[in-house]
Amino acid sequence: MDQMVVHRLGMDTSGLVVFTKTKEALRCMNTLFRTRRVTRQYEALVCGHVTKADNANDADGAFGWIPLPLMRDFECPPFMRVSTEENQNVLVGLDPDVVGKRLMEAPKQSITKYQIIAKEELKVSSSSSSSALPVTRLTLTAITGRTHQLNVHLAAFGHPIVGDRIYGFGGDALPNGGLDVSIIEKQNPKRATEDLQEQIAAVVEANNIDMCVHAKFLSFGHPVTQEDVSFSSLPPF
């Protein structure tokens, strides 16, 4: 069965996965994914209320693009980070036989489209009081399919995915997708603050909440019949 898996989901991502019944179908599906003829959409809860930013495409910021190139993180391998000229300059002169050829790979252009579904609240209850923390439900379309792309892009956008224990607050990877806070504040001044991210991370740990990102929609041309097919799955959060 594991030889017939067409693609992978990211860390702790729930949702749709494609399997094939024959090796010929597997080859065809691999071609569809490689040539980006598969539409993939995810649903996610992210920290803070997403509002209009510099990369929004409509009047109220309901959808926009996150077009940030990605590279291997030389400070926190094997994770990813946003590639900048400064980060690339650090690699100049390093020996790939020593640090590893994957670390020396050129940055890859990566594009994520986001669309706001709803602005919601994460309920926080205690024995003495109750409150709510702002979160936003997004539809995410991976135009490219880079490693950990959604996680890094949302963190660098200033709205990390709720429950992301790697790229979110206090995670093992560099914060903010490896970008300096000043850059994010300039691009998205209404981002989720570190204080808000910390509060949400505490609620996640206290309630053992899984990472809130779900592969909810897939569409492609069937490798045998050539018919357009689509599949959907409701998120568990």
Side-chain angles (χ1 to χ4, degrees):
M1 179 65 74
D2 60 344
Q3 296 179 3
M4 296 302 180
V5 180
V6 177
H7 63 111
R8 299 176 298 168
L9 294 179
M11 303 175 299
D12 300 325
T13 302
S14 59
L16 297 167
V17 178
V18 179
F19 292 78
T20 61
K21 293 183 178 180
T22 67
K23 291 185 177 180
E24 178 60 28
L26 178 63
R27 284 192 290 269
C28 291
M29 287 302 303
N30 284 337
T31 298
L32 292 180
F33 272 88
R34 186 172 60 252
T35 56
R36 300 179 187 174
R37 287 184 284 169
V38 177
T39 298
R40 290 185 287 176
Q41 290 185 336
Y42 299 78
E43 190 163 317
L45 280 182
V46 301
C47 299
H49 281 166
V50 177
T51 57
K52 182 179 179 180
D54 290 342
N55 60 355
N57 282 62
D58 65 343
D60 60 4
F63 74 92
W65 307 87
I66 305 175
L68 298 173
L70 300 180
M71 63 183 291
R72 296 281 171 179
D73 192 344
F74 51 85
E75 293 185 67
C76 297
F79 304 122
M80 305 293 289
R81 71 186 298 172
V82 173
S83 176
T84 64
E85 183 178 356
E86 180 181 0
N87 293 338
Q88 286 296 312
N89 288 339
V90 174
L91 303 180
V92 175
L94 295 181
D95 187 346
D97 291 330
V98 175
V99 300
K101 293 181 179 180
R102 297 188 72 180
L103 187 64
M104 301 296 290
E105 291 176 349
K108 295 182 178 180
Q109 183 60 39
S110 307
I111 304 173
T112 299
K113 178 182 178 181
Y114 69 86
Q115 185 169 3
I116 297 173
I117 300 174
K119 296 179 181 180
E120 303 179 6
E121 295 180 330
L122 188 65
K123 302 298 182 182
V124 182
S125 298
S126 66
S127 58
S128 58
S129 63
S130 62
S131 58
L133 301 172
V135 295
T136 304
R137 187 174 296 269
L138 300 177
T139 290
L140 303 172
T141 303
I143 308 301
T144 53
R146 309 305 184 194
T147 302
H148 303 173
Q149 174 179 317
L150 300 182
N151 306 74
V152 181
H153 272 181
L154 269 299
F157 186 36
H159 298 281
I161 298 170
V162 172
D164 188 343
R165 294 170 172 82
I166 300 297
Y167 293 97
F169 182 88
D172 296 330
L174 290 177
N176 308 313
L179 291 181
D180 188 87
V181 172
S182 61
I183 296 176
I184 299 179
E185 289 180 339
K186 182 178 180 181
Q187 295 176 344
N188 186 11
K190 295 184 179 180
R191 70 186 183 93
T193 64
E194 280 84 0
D195 181 60
L196 175 59
Q197 293 182 36
E198 182 177 11
Q199 292 181 61
I200 292 176
V203 174
V204 165
E205 289 304 314
N207 294 276
N208 197 28
I209 297 174
D210 294 329
M211 186 170 67
C212 296
V213 60
H214 179 81
K216 71 172 182 179
F217 179 80
L218 274 171
S219 67
F220 51 86
H222 193 283
V224 177
T225 67
Q226 307 305 314
E227 294 179 274
D228 290 334
V229 295
S230 61
F231 306 89
S232 60
S233 169
L234 294 175
F237 49 83

